[in-house]
Amino acid sequence: MRNREDLETRELEELAPVAVKAARSKGRREAEPPDGLRTCFQRDRDRILHSTAFRRLQRKTQVLMSGSGDHFRTRLVHSLEVSQMARSASLALRLNPDLAEAVALAHDLGHPPFGHVGEERLQALMEGHGGFRHNGQVLRLVDILETRGCGGSGLNLCWETRICLLKKTLPKGFPLAPDLPPRAEPYLEGRIVDACDRIAYLSHDLDDALRSGIMHMEDFLDLPLCAEALEEAGKTGASRSPRGNGTPESDPGRKRMVSALVKLLLRDLVVSTARAFQSAHRLRDPEEARREGKRLVGHSRERSLGIEALFERLNREFYRAPRIRRPIEASAEVLNRLYRHFRDDPRTLPESFRRRIDEDGPDRCICDYLAGMTDDFIGKLAQEVLI
Ligand code: MG
């Protein structure tokens, strides 16, 4: 049998000097006795996995409205895919796979209903009240809004996990727990999650764009990265005909091409990052690496350009396609209407949000409530209260 101490010792022996080690964690906001079997980051991962915010990801829009079809990605599936990639990349780079997994599973918890449209609506509504960003909302969830089995507010995650979740700058006045800086450089594990997030959403949005029939393989073949992925897929037996033999939905080439794309990008991320580690061998610990992280984790120049071009194509022709945006924009209107409804009488908020009004103000409490909702729940609530 292996206990926590054994796992911690193994990390100290096997992980790279720049990797975060559980035994050296800066700890939690509220001190807790360590677990007998799991390291602190394994415990963080489990707390995230068992949180209600995590389960709600299954009914939150990624790009296509949740409920568009059983095979399209929801945020839950996306988070699981990012976590698998981040774990594999971390293992290859001798970074901490448990920290990467915890961060990946939590990275999208703060997304409101209706994807980016929902985020834009809340940003506009919260202007002048500290603003809204999904990464800031993750911290509100894990530090304040979620409850854990033993009681207490927040999941009480480790400092390193929280710093990795903070990532981009937040609007001035966005309320974070007092021990967090307004901006911090993530550990390398956090940067790996960020890079895997991009690989996951680009490749899977490409898959969903083709599967939905909104775009076709021909729309991507002038992009060298996609042409190369199709070529690679051909080596494993995919049809070389751009459209395959059937509909986009049934095209076996599509699956192989997307899988080849993920492999190309993930391999490039690992190889380029490993090369950067070699030339930065003077870095002795994760804190030093954190300050240099931008330079250390990333893709080759060729792949970075390919990623940019693919994002541009998807952004122009898929994310912004009227068939995608229109139904989401129409549904997202309920965010504005419910916001006004609760602003007129904040006492109608559920007790768990109402009791924070003195501390956070009514606007923040309404925003927390709305941001946590799934696409389904907000629709039902609107039917009940907006008559
Ligand atoms: Mg994501």
Side-chain angles (χ1 to χ4, degrees):
M1 184 187 130
R2 259 200 216 126
N3 61 21
R4 174 183 47 83
E5 279 104 332
D6 298 329
L7 296 176
E8 287 176 350
T9 308
R10 203 172 71 168
E11 278 189 359
L12 293 170
E13 288 165 2
E14 290 181 2
L15 295 186
V18 290
V20 175
K21 322 287 184 305
R24 298 189 185 142
S25 167
K26 295 184 181 164
R28 305 175 187 279
R29 280 171 82 200
E30 291 166 44
E32 286 180 42
D35 188 74
L37 295 177
R38 297 167 298 168
T39 69
C40 57
F41 300 126
Q42 291 175 341
R43 207 173 182 194
D44 278 4
R45 173 204 58 204
D46 296 348
R47 285 183 183 183
I48 293 159
L49 197 69
H50 292 285
S51 68
T52 51
F54 186 73
R55 290 198 292 277
R56 288 199 300 265
L57 291 175
Q58 68 182 311
R59 297 254 184 266
K60 285 199 177 187
T61 290
Q62 176 75 11
V63 174
L64 286 154
M65 276 267 277
S66 113
S68 300
D70 289 344
H71 297 159
F72 295 114
R73 266 97 186 163
T74 63
R75 289 212 178 269
L76 180 68
V77 173
H78 165 72
S79 302
L80 293 170
E81 288 175 344
V82 176
S83 129
Q84 175 262 310
M85 290 180 196
R87 208 179 155 86
S88 301
S90 298
L91 281 167
L93 291 162
R94 293 198 297 133
L95 292 175
N96 195 314
D98 300 323
L99 174 60
E101 189 177 8
V103 174
L105 291 174
H107 86 284
D108 267 358
L109 290 182
H111 271 285
F114 311 121
H116 290 287
V117 176
E119 180 155 21
E120 289 161 14
R121 295 290 167 100
L122 285 182
Q123 273 168 8
L125 288 164
M126 289 302 285
E127 218 177 290
H129 305 288
F132 178 82
R133 290 287 185 286
H134 70 89
N135 55 312
Q137 196 62 23
V138 178
L139 268 310
R140 282 193 65 75
L141 276 164
V142 300
D143 283 346
I144 301 166
L145 302 172
E146 273 291 321
T147 45
R148 53 188 194 278
C150 59
S153 66
L155 301 178
N156 202 27
L157 302 180
C158 295
W159 167 259
E160 294 79 1
T161 311
R162 296 166 69 220
I163 285 294
C164 289
L165 290 171
L166 191 53
K167 47 182 199 179
K168 290 170 212 139
T169 316
L170 294 175
K172 208 170 177 299
F174 187 93
L176 289 175
D179 66 322
L180 281 175
R183 186 194 158 81
E185 296 300 333
Y187 292 93
L188 298 186
E189 286 81 355
R191 290 198 184 273
I192 286 290
V193 171
D194 233 16
C196 290
D197 182 26
R198 203 170 313 119
I199 296 175
Y201 74 69
L202 284 177
S203 50
H204 300 138
D205 291 347
L206 167 69
D207 192 24
D208 287 354
L210 296 172
R211 186 192 285 274
S212 64
I214 293 173
M215 293 183 77
H216 303 287
M217 207 73 104
E218 295 93 321
D219 300 329
F220 294 100
L221 289 183
D222 62 316
L223 301 176
L225 178 63
C226 295
E228 199 183 328
L230 193 68
E231 180 73 29
E232 282 296 314
K235 290 179 195 161
T236 58
S239 152
R240 278 171 187 262
S241 132
R243 294 284 288 273
N245 302 321
T247 61
E249 173 74 45
S250 63
D251 186 359
R254 191 197 73 240
K255 262 192 176 171
R256 288 201 189 91
M257 187 254 204
V258 171
S259 145
L261 181 66
V262 171
K263 259 189 221 150
L264 280 178
L265 293 179
L266 207 53
R267 187 173 165 73
D268 179 71
L269 173 69
V270 169
V271 170
S272 303
T273 304
R275 235 176 247 147
F277 279 11
Q278 265 171 2
S279 56
H281 53 85
R282 64 192 164 73
L283 296 176
R284 296 318 301 163
D285 67 60
E287 289 302 327
E288 273 183 35
R290 180 149 85 99
R291 289 190 286 272
E292 305 241 357
K294 224 180 197 156
R295 218 168 43 76
L296 291 177
V297 175
H299 288 275
S300 62
R301 180 155 171 73
E302 186 197 353
R303 294 292 180 226
S304 297
L305 292 173
I307 286 172
E308 227 170 273
L310 176 56
F311 175 76
E312 281 303 313
R313 183 67 48 90
L314 285 166
N315 191 33
R316 213 176 49 226
E317 293 174 35
F318 184 51
Y319 305 148
R320 291 175 190 278
R323 265 175 71 186
I324 298 278
R325 288 281 292 205
R326 245 182 245 141
I328 302 180
E329 299 217 352
S331 307
E333 200 41 42
V334 296
L335 273 170
N336 298 56
R337 294 178 62 205
L338 281 170
Y339 190 92
R340 282 196 297 271
H341 169 83
F342 289 115
R343 197 63 190 80
D344 285 345
D345 189 0
R347 286 168 308 170
T348 53
L349 281 169
E351 148 62 20
S352 53
F353 294 92
R354 204 170 55 224
R355 69 165 178 246
R356 299 197 53 84
I357 289 181
D358 285 348
E359 196 172 331
D360 290 326
D363 294 280
R364 181 58 56 189
C365 296
I366 297 167
C367 177
D368 284 340
Y369 184 37
L370 295 177
M373 292 179 189
T374 63
D375 296 11
D376 290 7
F377 180 86
I378 197 169
K380 281 182 201 137
L381 183 73
Q383 279 182 354
E384 275 169 36
V385 301
L386 299 175
I387 4 154

